[in-house]
Amino acid sequence: MSTSQPHASRQPEDRATPDRLLHARTGTDVSPEDLVLASGKDLTPRNLEWAKRKLAAEGPAALEKLLP
């Protein structure tokens, strides 16, 4: 009788994303769309305007504040 382990049957997409992939790299352009998506919101005109204002006030650091 074989004993299977639950984690052995997981698909690759079930693994945690490496930390280096979760953070924006310094020096990259951050678009309003990036900020909206990172916040978990839908891409609507209202949310894009919010993101533009946030980027204008905080710069690319606005994205870093949203990511783990």
Side-chain angles (χ1 to χ4, degrees):
M1 177 163 108
S2 70
T3 58
S4 64
Q5 297 174 338
H7 66 278
S9 64
R10 287 185 179 175
Q11 298 298 320
E13 61 270 5
D14 288 342
R15 293 184 300 188
T17 303
D19 191 52
R20 64 183 165 72
L21 297 176
L22 293 174
H23 298 281
R25 296 183 312 262
T26 304
T28 61
D29 292 329
V30 177
S31 71
E33 290 85 359
D34 294 334
L35 195 59
V36 170
L37 294 174
S39 69
K41 299 177 181 180
D42 292 327
L43 287 173
T44 65
R46 181 178 180 187
N47 290 339
L48 288 170
E49 285 303 317
W50 163 82
K52 288 176 187 176
R53 289 191 306 274
K54 191 160 182 73
L55 284 172
E58 300 176 22
L63 183 62
E64 291 294 331
K65 293 177 183 179
L66 292 173
L67 297 175

